[in-house]
Amino acid sequence: MSTFKSIAVAGAQSAIGKAIVLTLAATPGVSVLVLTRATTARPEYLPENVAHAGIDYADVDATAAILSEHSVQVVISSVNSVAILGQISLADAAKAAGVKLFVPSEYGCISKGLPEVPSFLQVKIQVADHLQSIGLPSMRVFPGIFQEYLELVVGFGTNKKVNILSSVKGDTPFSTTSMDDVGGFVAHVVTHHPLSALADKAVRIEGERRVTLNELGAVLGAPVEKVDVIPAPEGVSGMFFLDQLQTLVEKGYLNTETKLVDGDGSGGANGLWEGHRWTTLKETLKL
Ligand SMILES: NC(=O)c1ccc[n+]([C@@H]2O[C@H](COP(=O)([O-])OP(=O)(O)OC[C@H]3O[C@@H](n4cnc5c(N)ncnc54)[C@H](OP(=O)(O)O)[C@@H]3O)[C@@H](O)[C@H]2O)c1
């Protein structure tokens, strides 16, 4: 079985990016190249055995030359939500350099086969469509909600309550996964499974057997309150997506079971990380 040995990671300073890089760097026989924006210095946390290159995302030829120089076989991206569309030129560079697999920055709600697309997911779908159109195989990873973000999703930090939208019943189970497990999973599968097992797969994982929004009351030891808008932390704007997110949770788009179309990853893929003990929600929340 031939597995990948040379991997580039963009967005390596996100929490999952760090977990991906550190796991890859500790994997024998694997070489790792971290791509940052040209304006970003080499991240201080990088182990010595990890190479670094600053790139202009828009310069496809120059990025392709760097990827070729390092014989990169897989590009993994964990860039943040404002940088999603920059992955289109990164994908073009990867294709030109002969990269075999591209893992785009997804890591949330499933984005394959949705009957209606919330605004914050549109750019991720644009990237997925682009990868398909240029014939670069991709793997899209959907871990539900990061366990570290769960309190934010119900506005718990704002008023110590589990705030659930009035329009949402709150009884649909959803998946949660710790950020270290998301990163560890991505690093593990690209170094332990062949391209045929990963190419053009939608992969749903979960660290914890599913929980519901209503059950979070018991988990956090807090009252559940129905609200018209999820309260955002003071001074933080752009939190409208929390309302969209709860609505998507209600529809079952953040669990491993809800089937929308063939090949949407329903059924789950935890088994690809053989023998791993996944971190539970209570462990992450230190409850
Ligand atoms: N499921 C969930 O609960 C959940 C929660 C949060 C996030 N997410 C998802 O996880 C992924 C990472 O998000 P995050 O919020 O954790 O990321 P983050 O920490 O804000 O990401 C930082 C990384 O993004 C890169 N970046 C920032 N602006 C950029 C730009 N204009 N062009 C290129 N790169 C840029 C930085 O690159 P440099 O290294 O060059 O500085 C850095 O490495 C996203 O897909 C996000 O939607 C999921």
Side-chain angles (χ1 to χ4, degrees), residues 10-17 34-41 43 55 57 77-84 86-87 104-109 120 124 143-150 153 177 179 182 241 245 254:
Q13 298 193 92
S14 63
I16 46 172
V34 158
L35 301 172
T36 64
R37 289 167 288 178
T39 48
T40 304
I55 59 165
Y57 275 74
S77 171
S78 51
V79 295
N80 68 8
S81 51
V82 300
I84 297 297
Q87 296 173 112
S105 191
E106 285 272 357
Y107 315 119
C109 176
F120 75 93
K124 290 187 174 177
I145 294 174
F146 293 170
Q147 290 172 349
E148 292 83 348
Y149 278 68
L150 204 49
V153 172
T177 310
M179 296 192 292
V182 177
F241 76 91
L245 201 52
L254 283 115

Side-chain angles (χ1 to χ4, degrees), residues 100-124:
K100 302 284 184 263
L101 181 73
F102 193 101
V103 182
S105 191
E106 285 272 357
Y107 315 119
C109 176
I110 56 170
S111 63
K112 185 163 184 184
L114 290 178
E116 73 276 352
V117 179
S119 56
F120 75 93
L121 273 184
Q122 281 167 5
V123 284
K124 290 187 174 177

